[in-house]
Amino acid sequence: REKDLDDLVAAVKILSARSLRFRTVVVGDGLMRPELEARLPEAHFTGYQVGPDLAAWYASADVFAFPSTTETFGNVILEAFASALPVVAVNSGGSKDLIAPDENGLLARPHDAEDFADTIARLLCDPARREAMRERALRSSERFDWGEVNRRLIANYRQVIREHRGPIQEPAV
């Protein structure tokens, strides 16, 4: 529930009511799966996936839709980018820091299923726009590796310490 899947369900229903041609695939598993299967009987549920199987699902998609407002970093967004997959996420949490609108994805208003559906539709209905975003999404993923992420995190911590406590005493090695 913390991933705001109710908003995804509502957006899928809105898109279906518009007679837009698409297929919803839910990759993963969890406590909500039986409820989601009941609410989205037309969707395909893959269950838990890892490695090459997970990569194949990303690679076979046209759009990755991610409604979570609570995500702090969004590894799934980076996985989508690494598969050259544009992402539709909400302008909240860590997602907003990873998505460059009209570059590697699009952002919708949080907890607004109508806007989320409209934003997904913009990509589904515009193959040229999607295709243009694919390469940029892939390039976006290349900016992230754990070493660089951790270096930036440590640099941010050091900056906060300097601003609030003064110079940092480096440990003797």
Side-chain angles (χ1 to χ4, degrees), residues 147-163 168 170:
E148 180 57 27
V149 168
N150 287 324
R151 280 188 288 282
R152 285 192 305 231
L153 177 63
I154 296 297
N156 288 338
Y157 284 158
R158 288 177 179 205
Q159 180 66 31
V160 169
I161 290 168
R162 273 192 294 278
E163 289 173 2
I168 298 170
E170 293 292 333

Side-chain angles (χ1 to χ4, degrees), residues 17 23 87 120 143:
R23 176 77 190 243
V87 175
I120 293 168
R143 294 189 334 237

